[in-house]
C-alpha cells in the first residue's frame, strides 16, 4: 500500500496593537496656566503552542511535527502638551509609556512510548516573538509676563519596558523513531525587540521683570529577552538511514534608541535665567540558554550525526541627548544646560552541545557511518553608542554667565 504523509502543525499568530495618545492645550491671559498630558499602554501575550505525538504509533511516507509561535505586540504611545500665557507664567508636562510582555511556550514533541516510522522525520519548534514599542512626548510652555515676572517650565518624558521570556523545545523523549532517510530535531528562536523613545521639551519666556525658562526632557527603555531553546533526544531509540541532526539556534535581537531634546529661550530686561536638561537611557539584556542534546539513547545513522547549538544574539543600542539654551537680558543673564546619554547592555548566554550517558554495556551508543559532529558556538554581539550635545548662549549688557555639560556612557 502507498503511504501518505503525516503532518502535525500547531501555530500561534497572536497580535496586539496597542495605541494610546493624550494631548493638552491651555491658553490663559492671566494668572498661571498649566497643562499635563499622559498616555500609557500595557500589553501581554501568554500562550502555549504544542504539536506532539503522545503514546501513539505513526507510520507514513514522511512525518512532520511542527510548532510555530509568532506572537507580536505593536505599541505606540504619544503625549503632547502646549501651555501659553500672555500675562504671567506657563507650566506644562507630558508623559507617555508602555509595558509589553510576551511569555510563550512552543513545543514539538514525540513522547510517552510513541513509535514513528517514515522515510523522513522532522520535529521542529520555531519561536518568532516580536515586540515593537514606540513612545514619544512633546511639551511646550510659552510665557509672556509683560512688565512683570514671567516663568515658562516644560517637562517631557517617554519610556518603554519590554520583556520576552520564552521556552522553545523540539524533543523526542522515551520513544522510538526510525527513518530510512533524514531525521531532524530542530529548535530555533528569532525573538526580537525594537524600542524607540523620544522626549522633547521647549520653553520660551519673556518679561520685563525676572524671567525664568526651564525645559527638561527625558526618555528611556528597558528591554529584556530570557529564552530557552532546546533540541533534545532523550531516553529514545533512534535509527536514521540518512543524516541525523539535532540542532538548536538562537538568533534573538534587541534594537533600542532613546533620545531627548530640550530647547530653552529666555528674554528679559532684568535678571534672566534659562536652563535646559536632557537625559536618555537604554538598558538591554539578553540571557538565553541554547542546548542540543542526545542523552541516554541508542542512536545510529547510516550517514552522519550532527549535534549543534548556535547563538548569534545581537544588541544595537543608541542613546542621544540634545540641549540648547539661550538667555538674553539687559541685566544679569544666566544660561545653563546639561545632557546625559547612557546605554547599558549585557549578553550572558549559555550554549551547549551534549552527548551524554552513552553506555556501551547498555547498548546506548551513538554510532554513525559518517562523521559525528558536536558543535557549540556563540557569535553574540553588542553595538552601543551614546551621543550628547549641549549649547548654551547668554547675552547681557552687564553680567552674563553660561555653562554647558554633556555626559555620555556606553557599556
Amino acid at each position: 500500500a502507498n503511504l501518505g504523509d503525516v503532518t502535525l502543525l500547531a501555530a500561534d499568530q497572536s497580535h496586539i496593537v496597542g495605541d494610546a495618545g493624550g494631548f493638552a492645550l491651555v491658553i490663559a491671559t492671566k494668572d498661571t496656566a498649566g497643562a499635563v498630558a499622559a498616555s500609557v499602554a500595557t500589553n501581554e501575550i501568554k500562550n502555549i503552542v504544542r504539536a506532539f505525538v503522545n503514546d501513539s504509533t505513526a507510520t507514513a511516507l514522511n512525518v512532520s511535527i511542527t510548532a510555530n509561535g509568532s506572537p507580536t505586540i505593536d505599541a505606540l504611545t504619544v503625549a503632547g502638551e502646549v501651555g501659553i500665557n500672555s500675562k504671567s507664567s506657563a507650566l506644562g508636562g507630558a508623559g507617555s509609556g508602555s509595558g509589553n510582555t510576551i511569555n510563550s511556550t512552543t513545543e514539538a514533541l514525540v513522547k510517552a512510548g510513541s513509535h514513528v516510522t517514515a522515510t523522513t522525520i522532522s520535529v521542529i519548534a520555531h519561536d518568532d516573538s516580536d515586540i515593537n514599542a514606540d513612545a514619544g512626548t512633546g511639551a511646550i510652555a510659552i510665557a509672556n509676563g509683560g512688565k512683570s515676572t514671567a516663568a515658562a517650565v516644560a517637562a517631557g518624558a517617554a519610556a518603554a519596558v519590554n520583556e520576552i521570556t520564552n521556552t522553545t523545545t523540539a524533543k523526542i523523549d522515551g520513544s522510538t523513531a526510525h527513518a530510512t532517510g533524514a531525521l531532524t530535531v530542530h529548535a530555533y528562536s528569532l525573538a526580537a525587540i525594537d524600542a524607540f523613545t523620544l522626549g522633547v521639551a521647549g520653553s520660551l519666556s519673556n518679561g520685563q521683570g525676572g524671567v525664568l525658562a526651564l525645559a527638561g526632557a527625558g526618555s528611556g527603555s528597558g528591554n529584556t529577552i530570557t529564552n530557552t531553546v532546546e533540541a533534545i533526544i532523550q531516553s529514545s531509540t533512534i535509527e536514521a538511514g540518512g543524516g541525523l541532526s539535532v540542532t538548536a539556534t538562537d538568533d534573538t535581537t534587541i534594537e533600542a534608541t532613546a533620545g531627548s531634546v530640550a530647547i530653552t529661550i529666555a528674554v528679559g530686561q532684568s535678571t534672566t535665567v534659562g536652563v535646559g536638561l536632557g537625559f536618555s537611557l537604554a538598558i538591554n539584556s539578553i540571557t538565553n540558554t541554547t542546548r542540543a542534546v542526545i542523552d541516554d539513547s541508542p542512536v545510529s545513522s547510516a550517514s552522519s550525526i550532527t549535534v549543534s547549538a548556535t547563538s548569534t544574539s545581537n544588541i544595537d543600542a543608541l542613546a542621544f541627548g540634545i540641549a540648547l539654551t539661550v538667555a538674553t537680558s539687559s541685566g544679569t543673564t544666566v544660561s545653563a544646560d546639561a545632557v546625559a546619554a547612557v546605554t547599558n547592555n549585557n549578553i550572558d548566554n549559555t550554549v551547549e552541545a551534549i552527548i551524554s550517558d552513552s553506555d556501551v554495556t547498555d547498548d546506548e551508543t551513538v554510532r554513525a557511518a559518517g562523521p559525528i559532529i558536536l558543535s557549540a558556538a556563540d557569535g553574540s554581539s553588542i553595538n552601543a553608542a551614546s551621543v550628547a550635545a549641549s549649547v548654551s548662549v547668554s547675552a547681557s549688557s552687564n553680567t552674563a554667565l553660561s555653562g554647558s555639560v554633556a555626559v555620555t556612557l556606553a557599556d
Side-chain angles (χ1 to χ4, degrees):
N2 293 324
L3 297 176
D5 295 338
V6 171
T7 301
L8 297 178
L9 173 62
D12 169 65
Q13 295 181 337
S14 302
H15 190 189
I16 292 177
V17 178
D19 296 338
F23 181 76
L25 172 63
V26 173
I27 300 176
T29 58
K30 62 179 181 179
D31 300 326
T32 299
V36 176
S39 64
V40 179
T42 301
N43 308 292
E44 181 179 9
I45 294 176
K46 186 174 183 179
N47 55 26
I48 296 175
V49 184
R50 184 177 291 135
F52 60 93
V53 176
N54 180 67
D55 190 20
S56 301
T57 298
T59 302
L61 181 62
N62 300 290
V63 174
S64 173
I65 303 161
T66 305
N68 288 330
S70 301
T72 301
I73 295 176
D74 291 314
L76 172 64
T77 54
V78 179
E81 173 280 332
V82 177
I84 301 173
N85 197 323
S86 62
K87 297 296 184 180
S88 183
S89 299
L91 308 175
S96 67
S98 66
N100 308 288
T101 303
I102 294 177
N103 188 336
S104 180
T105 298
T106 304
E107 296 179 332
L109 309 171
V110 178
K111 62 176 185 174
S114 294
H115 300 272
V116 179
T117 303
T119 302
T120 64
I121 299 172
S122 63
V123 182
I124 298 175
H126 173 215
D127 165 48
D128 194 14
S129 301
D130 194 11
I131 294 177
N132 300 295
D134 297 331
T137 297
I140 298 175
I142 300 173
N144 181 12
K147 295 183 179 181
S148 62
T149 300
V153 180
V161 178
N162 307 296
E163 182 177 356
I164 295 176
T165 305
N166 291 345
T167 299
T168 306
T169 305
K171 188 175 185 179
I172 300 176
D173 184 17
S175 298
T176 299
H178 176 72
T180 57
L183 190 149
T184 301
V185 180
H186 184 40
Y188 59 111
S189 175
L190 300 174
I193 294 175
D194 188 343
F196 176 79
T197 56
L198 177 64
V200 178
S203 63
L204 171 62
S205 180
N206 178 45
Q208 300 298 315
V211 176
L212 169 66
L214 171 63
S219 76
S221 67
N223 308 290
T224 304
I225 297 178
T226 307
N227 287 347
T228 299
V229 185
E230 294 182 319
I232 301 173
I233 294 175
Q234 186 172 41
S235 303
S236 298
T237 300
I238 307 296
E239 295 180 358
L244 186 150
S245 63
V246 181
T247 55
T249 303
D250 163 43
D251 190 20
T252 56
T253 61
I254 294 176
E255 295 184 6
T257 300
S260 61
V261 178
I263 299 175
T264 305
I265 300 175
V267 180
Q269 298 300 316
S270 183
T271 301
T272 303
V273 179
V275 179
L277 304 172
F279 180 73
S280 57
L281 174 66
I283 300 176
N284 308 294
S285 176
I286 296 177
T287 308
N288 291 344
T289 298
T290 306
R291 302 172 70 240
V293 180
I294 296 178
D295 175 60
D296 191 27
S297 299
V299 176
S300 64
S301 170
S303 181
S304 62
I305 294 177
T306 299
V307 181
S308 174
T310 304
S311 176
T312 54
S313 300
N314 176 255
I315 295 176
D316 285 321
L318 171 63
F320 68 89
I322 300 172
L324 171 63
T325 301
V326 178
T328 179
S329 174
S330 60
T332 302
T333 301
V334 178
S335 67
D337 52 47
V339 179
V342 179
T343 67
N344 181 268
N345 308 282
N346 180 65
I347 296 178
D348 186 11
N349 288 343
T350 299
V351 184
E352 298 177 333
I354 301 171
I355 297 176
S356 61
D357 201 12
S358 180
D359 192 341
V360 175
T361 58
D362 292 336
D363 195 26
E364 294 176 350
T365 58
V366 176
R367 296 172 292 179
I372 296 177
I373 301 170
L374 188 66
S375 172
D378 186 358
S380 301
S381 61
I382 296 175
N383 302 303
S386 58
V387 179
S390 62
V391 178
S392 180
V393 179
S394 61
S396 175
S397 62
N398 193 356
T399 304
L401 300 174
S402 65
S404 180
V405 177
V407 179
T408 64
L409 176 62
D411 182 15

